Every structure is written in structure tokens, then in C-alpha cells.
Amino acid sequence: MDFFQDALFSAIAAIGFAAISNPPRRAYLYCAVIAAAGHSTRFLLMEGTGLRLHIVVATALASLLIGVLAVLISPRSRVPAETYLYPSLLPMIPGIYAYRAFGGLVMCLYHGGEASFGHYFYLFAHNGLTCFFILLSMAVGATVPVFMMKKISFTAMRRHE
Amino acid sequence: MTPRTDAPTAREMCTFLADYAARLLGSGATCIRLEKNVRRIGAAFGMQVEVAVFPRHIHLSVVAQGGGELYTSIAAISDCSLSFAVNAALSRLSWDVADGTVGFAEAVRRFSAIAGMRGEDRLLVLLLASVANAAFCRLFGGDAVAMAVVFGATLAGFALRQFMAARHADFRLTVIACSFVSSVLAGADGLFGLGATPEIAVGTSVLYLVPGIPFINSFSDMLDRHYICAFGRFTDALVITGCLSIGLCAGMMLMNVGMF
């Protein structure tokens, strides 16, 4: 159940966030499919199977899948692969980690005592580092396929007789 | 390649490509796509095109076949809203020119039409973005109340964003105002003790402002070794994230929402 819920909500989120960057209408369905595939893959790698991968590794693999799917689908839908990357990656944005890192930083300023400062600095650093590496693995994982399959990525807009 | 009968001069080509490149980058294209597209259009008329991309400008040089005529120009990157529909249409135009189905005069005409393309219906985008952020809230573990609160907070914040964008307000100011409004409204979940996950409601209420495309494009430009542009885009994204944090922090202080 969790698995399907995860896929469904990431597909809804992807359609909404795709709308912000004004893609051609034909791109919406593919956005939803790629996002659902990516996010549920991460879910499976982390919780659904026995693998229990770390969130950074699971995100990198899921992003790689998103990148590959985006490049392969782009000639079929005649939409640049980049169109699919942002809405599909967004449901994996480490918002809560970023939020906690920022919270830790602010609390550091309010707590001068060594013990409490240390605690909040730990929260800042731990959440901040996790957030940074998730973002890095997302961006690199999704962009690398565009460069690895340049021929498909940059001829997708060509009209075929 | 033999020059086509409708071949423009290097000057005409350079002027056209400067406008084309400025619009393509403004719509959210990466540097590698920009380079490939402009070179493709130039090559169709036997011209060699080189581009240098700076954070706010594009420097273009066009050399006519045989190296006889060289023209160079610098264009400011369009400060327009992101549009992958424009990106796709401009990329397709470059292929149509390369394949010889569109001549130079027709390409200029089509470019004007594409540049003037209308975006998606504002109300529809507003609704879709609000539903999306509510779905997001669920993905992060929020309950039904948190989802409803995030939907309302996003609806108000995103409507403000559209209002300010229509009045050409500074985007950084817009982000501060929107994240403040959204986080204050999302703070209602905790303030009135409505649901069990108030902190998730506040945390996700501002995520529609995350500058994801500049972040992703900056990594793409980095992989392509366009370091100056990559750094420019990354700085832009950081500044927007900072503005988002300022608005969020102010909203949380006003609502007395604790972080931990």
C-alpha cells in the first residue's frame, strides 16, 4: 500500500510542479510516470526490499533511472529531456533535512552554552551534510545520462519523415 | 556544405542568433543545448558560430563561409519566465532550419511567434501547484490536516507570486514575501492544534519556491565545463534559497513555531 501511495503522490506532485515550468501539454503524463518510477524506486531501495540502502545512494540510483527514462522518452514525446528532470526529481528534494539544518543553525545562535551549542551544531551539520549529498546525487545522477546519451538527447526535437 | 540560396549575411545571422540564444537561455535551456542549437542553425547556411555564455549575457561570433565576413554581438539574456514549451519549440526550429524545411526569413518569423507564445492558464497552474505541494506534504509524512493546510498556504503564496510577477516585482522580494505568507498560513496547523504533524506542514509549505531548475542546470553546465555560467546559475539558486529561508524564518518567528 505504501508503495502505491508513494508512487501516486509523487506523480501528482510532478504534474503540479511541471506546470510551473510551462512544458508542452503532451509532457505531463510522462512527467507523472517518470516521477512515480523514480520515487518508488528510491522507496524500494530504502525500505521496500531487504537492501536498506542509505538515502544518498538510493537517491543517486533513482535519479539515474529518472535521467535514463527522461532521455529515452524525449524523442517519443518530442520534448527536451531536461523538461522531465526537475518535476521528477522534486519529490526527492530533501526539504525536511534542509529545514532541520536551517533550524539547527538558527538555534546555534540562540544557545551560547557549549553543550547546547554543540548539540544544535551537530543537528545543523548532520542534516546539512545529508541534504547536500542528497542534492548532489540527485543533480549528478539525473544529468549524467543526458551527457552519456548525447545523440538521443539532442536530436529528440528533429522531425522524422 | 554549399550555401543556400536564402542565405543571410553574417550580420543578419548574428543578430537573429543573439535574440534566439537570449530567449532560449531565458526559457531554461542548458549551455550544451544552446551551443548545439545555434551551431546547427549557423551550419545550415555554411556559417561557423561560437558562443560564450556569461551569467547575464551571451557573446556570439558568426563567421561566414570562407572566413570572409565576421560579425560579433553581445546580447542580454531575456529575463522571462521559464518555459519548456518555448525551449522545445526553439529546439525544433533549429532542426527544421538544419533539415532545410525552413528558410532564414521563415525562421525569423517563426521565432517571433514562439517568443510571443502564451504560457499555461494561470488559474490551472495555481491549482496544480497547490495540489502538488499538498501531495508533497503527504510524501514527507504529513497527515490529512497538514495536507489541507499546505494546500491553502500554497494557494495563497502562489497567487501572490503570480500577482507580483505580473507587476514585474523583483523576484527575490517575491520569494521572501511568498515564503513568509505560506509559512504563516501553514503555522496555523500547529497554532490551533489541528493535526499531528504541524512541523511537516510548515516545512513543506514553501517547497514550491525551491529553485530546482537553476540548480539542475548549473550541474549540467558544470559537467559541460561551462564553469562561469554554472557558477552564475548556482549563485542565483543560492540567493533564491536564502530569500526563501528569510521568509520562512520570519514566518516561523511570528507564529512562534519551534524548529525542534
Side-chain angles (χ1 to χ4, degrees):
Chain A
M1 181 61 202
D2 276 353
F3 172 78
F4 290 109
Q5 251 193 30
D6 201 75
L8 174 70
F9 283 110
S10 44
I12 296 173
I15 291 174
F17 286 108
I20 298 179
S21 52
N22 189 24
R25 284 245 166 129
R26 58 186 179 276
Y28 284 105
L29 178 67
Y30 294 111
C31 275
V33 172
I34 298 175
H39 203 264
S40 42
T41 299
R42 185 173 83 158
F43 180 83
L44 282 178
L45 292 175
M46 286 171 66
E47 296 171 34
T49 57
L51 290 171
R52 301 218 163 267
L53 290 184
H54 187 266
I55 188 165
V56 174
V57 182
T59 306
L61 292 174
S63 305
L64 202 65
L65 177 74
I66 286 175
V68 170
L69 286 177
V71 172
L72 294 181
I73 285 177
S74 65
R76 179 177 296 269
S77 59
R78 293 237 302 269
V79 169
E82 301 96 279
T83 311
Y84 299 120
L85 298 185
Y86 168 67
S88 310
L89 290 177
L90 207 63
M92 300 201 291
I93 284 256
I96 300 300
Y97 286 104
Y99 170 74
R100 286 186 184 144
F102 184 65
L105 185 67
V106 173
M107 297 300 261
C108 278
L109 297 176
Y110 280 93
H111 292 82
E114 194 173 345
S116 51
F117 181 89
H119 171 65
Y120 287 117
F121 196 79
Y122 155 75
L123 286 175
F124 160 66
H126 176 256
N127 288 298
L129 278 176
T130 311
C131 173
F132 176 77
F133 281 107
I134 293 175
L135 283 175
L136 193 69
S137 64
M138 275 167 63
V140 175
T143 324
V144 163
V146 177
F147 284 83
M148 300 283 284
M149 298 188 275
K150 270 187 189 166
K151 185 142 179 109
I152 304 178
S153 306
F154 298 103
T155 54
M157 295 302 105
R158 194 174 197 171
R159 284 180 215 270
H160 296 285
E161 312 317 288
Chain B
M1 180 180 282
T2 48
R4 285 155 46 166
T5 49
D6 58 344
T9 62
R11 178 183 179 151
E12 285 168 334
M13 177 58 89
C14 192
T15 313
F16 168 65
L17 285 183
D19 289 343
Y20 175 92
R23 189 68 179 87
L24 186 63
L25 267 193
S27 71
T30 52
C31 286
I32 184 168
R33 183 169 294 282
L34 173 87
E35 271 191 329
K36 283 183 181 290
N37 286 7
V38 294
R39 283 184 180 158
R40 188 180 297 139
I41 295 177
F45 297 100
M47 296 182 185
Q48 191 189 336
V49 184
E50 285 303 335
V51 275
V53 187
F54 298 99
R56 294 186 65 175
H57 295 87
I58 298 171
H59 189 165
L60 260 160
S61 283
V62 174
V63 186
Q65 200 175 38
E69 194 186 4
L70 184 146
Y71 204 83
T72 187
S73 100
I74 297 177
I77 296 171
S78 308
D79 197 12
C80 52
S81 55
L82 290 169
S83 169
F84 280 115
V86 169
N87 182 343
L90 289 179
S91 299
R92 193 168 315 123
L93 177 63
S94 75
W95 275 114
D96 289 346
V97 172
D99 291 339
T101 53
V102 167
F104 185 73
E106 173 67 7
V108 173
R109 197 193 60 73
R110 281 205 199 173
F111 169 72
S112 315
I114 294 168
M117 251 164 78
R118 289 194 54 201
E120 191 62 88
D121 181 63
R122 281 177 59 182
L123 268 179
L124 181 68
V125 177
L126 173 64
L127 196 69
L128 285 176
S130 307
V131 172
N133 222 16
F136 238 9
C137 179
R138 180 72 192 82
L139 282 179
F140 288 132
D143 58 12
V145 177
M147 283 175 73
V149 169
V150 166
F151 177 82
T154 309
L155 199 69
F158 202 86
L160 178 65
R161 175 179 154 159
Q162 290 180 326
F163 177 84
M164 291 178 79
R167 277 147 194 81
H168 306 290
D170 184 282
F171 189 60
R172 292 157 292 189
L173 195 66
T174 305
V175 171
I176 295 176
C178 295
S179 63
F180 176 74
V181 167
S182 292
S183 56
V184 166
L185 291 176
D189 191 355
L191 188 70
F192 299 114
L194 302 173
T197 53
E199 76 289 350
I200 292 176
V202 176
T204 36
S205 67
V206 294
L207 287 182
Y208 66 94
L209 294 164
V210 169
I213 292 173
F215 267 129
I216 295 171
N217 282 355
S218 80
F219 277 99
S220 167
D221 292 346
M222 198 180 73
L223 287 177
D224 200 33
R225 298 194 298 148
H226 274 283
Y227 294 122
I228 294 179
C229 188
F231 188 71
R233 293 205 215 234
F234 191 73
T235 311
D236 262 346
L238 278 187
V239 168
I240 297 303
T241 311
C243 292
L244 189 163
S245 308
I246 292 171
L248 173 66
C249 197
M252 288 173 68
M253 279 164 71
L254 184 75
M255 299 302 278
N256 202 20
V257 179
M259 292 270 183
F260 299 105

